Amino acid sequence: MVENGVTFINVIELPAGEVDAFVEQWRERAKLMRDAPGFRDSRLHRAKLPDARFQLVNVAHWDSAEAWRAATTNPAFQAAMGDVPGSVAPNPALYDVVVEYGQP
Amino acid sequence: MVENGVTFINVIELPAGEVDAFVEQWRERAKLMRDAPGFRDSRLHRAKLPDARFQLVNVAHWDSAEAWRAATTNPAFQAAMGDVPGSVAPNPALYDVVVEYGQP
C-alpha cells in the first residue's frame, strides 16, 4: 500500500493529433508540482495504440490530500493550466488503493 | 521508467452503488492474473469521492505485452470475465511511461 499517502490519477481525453504537443506542455507544467511540498512521484502514461479512448493517464503520489490541494491551487500552477486548450478534457481525482498484488 | 516492461491501465466506469460488489469480484479475478507468467504487480484504485467520474482505475505492470495478452486470453480468465455485469464499462489499454518525476 502507499503508506500515509494518496494517489492522484488524471484520465485525460484529447484528440490523438494533439498528444505530442500536450506531452511537452505537461512535462514543463509538472515541474511545478515536482517542486511542491509533499510531492512523491508522477508518471505520465501514453497509450501504445492511437485509437485507445484515453490517450494519456497521469498517476502521481503525494504525502496527503492537503499537500496535493495546496500544490494545485498555487497561482503559478493555475496560470500554467491556462495554456491547456479547450479540446483537452482532464478527469482528475484522488484515489485510495483498495486491492494490491505484487510489489511495485 | 518501467524497465523492459509495459503498463496496463483499465479505467472502469460503473454506477457508484455497484463499486463495493465489483471490488470483491475483482479481488478474486485478479488472482488469476497474479499467478500468470510475466505478471509484476497490480493496484486497484478507488476514488475517494463517490461523484468522481471514474470510480475505479487498475494500474498493473507486466514483463511484456505478450505476457499480458496471453494472460487475458486464458480460458479461466475469460470465464471469470463473464461474471462482470453489463453496467460495468471497462476501458483497458497498454501504455508506455513518457514522462516520469520522482521515484515510485
Side-chain angles (χ1 to χ4, degrees), chain B residues 13-83:
Chain B
E13 295 178 281
L14 76 173
E18 298 183 21
V19 173
D20 285 341
F22 183 86
V23 168
E24 291 318 306
Q25 282 188 357
W26 191 95
R27 188 191 306 276
E28 293 307 310
R29 197 165 47 236
K31 290 178 183 171
L32 296 170
M33 304 305 269
R34 178 191 62 183
D35 298 336
F39 173 86
R40 292 183 178 181
D41 60 73
S42 183
R43 278 178 174 168
L44 183 63
H45 301 83
R46 179 177 187 163
K48 283 182 171 288
L49 299 179
D51 61 348
R53 180 176 172 197
F54 302 120
Q55 284 292 300
L56 296 170
V57 181
N58 173 31
V59 180
H61 299 104
W62 289 79
D63 286 349
S64 67
E66 292 69 30
W68 169 78
R69 201 166 289 117
T72 57
T73 54
N74 179 294
F77 181 76
Q78 286 291 323
M81 285 295 288
D83 296 336

Side-chain angles (χ1 to χ4, degrees), chain A residues 12-73:
Chain A
I12 304 166
E13 295 177 281
L14 76 173
E18 297 182 22
V19 172
D20 285 341
F22 183 85
V23 167
E24 290 317 306
Q25 282 187 358
W26 191 94
R27 188 190 306 276
E28 293 307 310
R29 198 164 47 236
K31 290 178 182 171
L32 296 171
M33 304 304 270
R34 179 191 62 182
D35 298 335
F39 173 87
R40 292 183 180 181
D41 60 74
S42 184
R43 278 180 174 167
L44 184 63
H45 301 82
R46 179 179 187 161
K48 283 182 171 289
L49 298 179
D51 62 349
R53 179 175 173 197
F54 303 119
Q55 284 293 299
L56 297 170
V57 180
N58 174 30
V59 180
H61 299 105
W62 290 79
D63 286 348
S64 67
E66 293 68 30
W68 169 78
R69 201 164 289 116
T72 56
T73 54

